[in-house]
Amino acid sequence: MSARGALGEDSIAHFCSITGASVREARKYLERHRRLDAAIDAFYNSSNSAAKPVPSTSKLTALFDKYKDSDGPDITIDGTIKLCEDLNVNPEDVVLLAVAYELKSPSVGVWKRQGWIQGWKSVGWMQTALGNLREKLGSDPGYFQKVYNYTFEFARVEGQRSLALDSAQAFWNLLLPHGLKGGGLTHSPAKSNNAEALESTEEGGWKEEYTELWYEFLNQRKGKGVSKDTWAMFLEFVRSIDAKFSNYDMDAAWPSTIDDFVEYARQRLAS
């Protein structure tokens, strides 16, 4: 049975829209691999995948129209879920934060036509771009910071100055482990003449269990949300603090929330 008969014209068209391949190439890969996701993966793993064309405006426009709301100008939650299904990516995958940054998504699950077209033309065809963006987000400290800072605006409810605490924790849960694992949160300890601080620096900086300590502290404070200043400075704090919080400078221009957390963390570590 041919790929046309086995998977249908929709699969061929979807293969072409995602990869930029010709109908002939689509049929070849679908006949060989029988499943759409496997065929797309094989296409991008082929030896000449680096030479694949940049997506055209017309194809990106058609793809946008496929996912956008039938009664609105944008792609919203339903279209985003369908897109994730077609790309075989979890809607809660951290890579979608990098995609949101590149495509200038105004809010969670929403994509504008201009950002969609310009973004995908910049980063390349979707399946390849996802892998590249995931690796870059995890390993490139500068890029990690750009996506991290963008996430605050992306995740914040319109009209609100702060990010709801549960939302902030959800996005930290995506970003922090990815950056710690890949090097995007590379430890850059602050200079100190304190012998204890220097010794602690040699042990490394932020640990995964400190993230839970941070959440515990925030939840006990019963605050309404996380300010933009706290969100941004927390990244620098994670990158610079030593393993015992001994190099923290209380006289520096840190948000009061972080000042209070350091006292809380020191007490917890001491006990």
Side-chain angles (χ1 to χ4, degrees), residues 3 7 26-35 38-39 42 46:
L7 295 171
R27 288 176 179 160
K28 179 182 72 173
Y29 279 95
L30 288 166
E31 285 174 350
R32 183 179 302 166
H33 298 281
R34 312 300 295 171
R35 292 194 349 261
S46 64

Side-chain angles (χ1 to χ4, degrees), residues 4-255:
R4 181 194 298 266
L7 295 171
E9 292 291 348
D10 286 347
S11 294
I12 294 173
H14 185 68
F15 184 100
C16 294
S17 67
I18 291 291
T19 64
S22 66
V23 171
R24 182 177 180 181
E25 282 184 297
R27 288 176 179 160
K28 179 182 72 173
Y29 279 95
L30 288 166
E31 285 174 350
R32 183 179 302 166
H33 298 281
R34 312 300 295 171
R35 292 194 349 261
L36 180 60
D37 57 345
I40 291 174
D41 287 344
F43 175 85
Y44 282 112
N45 289 330
S46 64
S47 59
N48 64 341
S49 61
K52 300 303 176 188
V54 172
S56 68
T57 299
S58 61
K59 288 182 178 179
L60 288 171
T61 297
L63 202 56
F64 184 90
D65 289 337
K66 173 183 176 180
Y67 294 113
K68 85 174 187 69
D69 284 359
S70 59
D71 57 351
D74 303 327
I75 297 172
T76 58
I77 295 296
D78 289 343
T80 298
I81 292 174
K82 175 59 177 172
L83 172 65
C84 291
E85 290 174 352
D86 290 344
L87 291 174
N88 195 30
V89 61
N90 190 315
E92 296 182 354
D93 192 316
V94 68
V95 73
L96 291 180
L97 297 180
V99 174
Y101 167 75
E102 296 292 348
L103 273 59
K104 297 179 174 59
S105 169
S107 59
V108 176
V110 177
W111 315 88
K112 299 285 188 180
R113 186 181 297 271
Q114 183 177 4
W116 172 275
I117 293 172
Q118 293 180 348
W120 286 123
K121 287 177 76 70
S122 175
V123 300
W125 279 110
M126 298 176 183
Q127 287 282 9
T128 298
L130 290 181
N132 292 340
L133 291 175
R134 183 181 287 105
E135 193 280 331
K136 185 176 182 180
L137 179 62
S139 62
D140 184 331
Y143 187 70
F144 184 93
Q145 183 166 0
K146 290 178 181 178
V147 174
Y148 177 90
N149 288 337
Y150 188 83
T151 297
F152 181 88
E153 301 297 339
F154 164 80
R156 182 170 52 90
V157 174
E158 186 176 0
Q160 298 293 320
R161 298 181 62 183
S162 61
L163 182 59
L165 186 56
D166 57 347
S167 294
Q169 291 184 14
F171 286 105
W172 276 323
N173 280 338
L174 292 176
L175 288 160
L176 297 182
H178 193 66
L180 288 170
K181 180 179 179 180
L185 273 174
T186 299
H187 184 225
S188 301
K191 294 181 180 180
S192 175
N193 294 322
N194 182 289
E196 182 183 0
L198 292 174
E199 179 183 352
S200 182
T201 296
E202 293 177 358
E203 300 172 4
W206 191 262
K207 303 177 186 294
E208 289 187 8
E209 56 263 35
Y210 294 169
T211 301
E212 295 302 319
L213 195 63
W214 170 241
Y215 295 164
E216 179 182 295
F217 164 77
L218 292 175
N219 290 328
Q220 286 187 13
R221 282 170 62 97
K222 301 187 186 316
K224 294 183 179 180
V226 176
S227 70
K228 184 175 183 178
D229 185 42
T230 297
W231 176 270
M233 294 300 291
F234 180 70
L235 176 61
E236 298 306 313
F237 171 70
V238 169
R239 283 178 164 166
S240 63
I241 198 66
D242 63 36
K244 296 179 180 178
F245 297 87
S246 55
N247 68 337
Y248 186 78
D249 184 358
M250 287 289 185
D251 294 326
W254 294 102

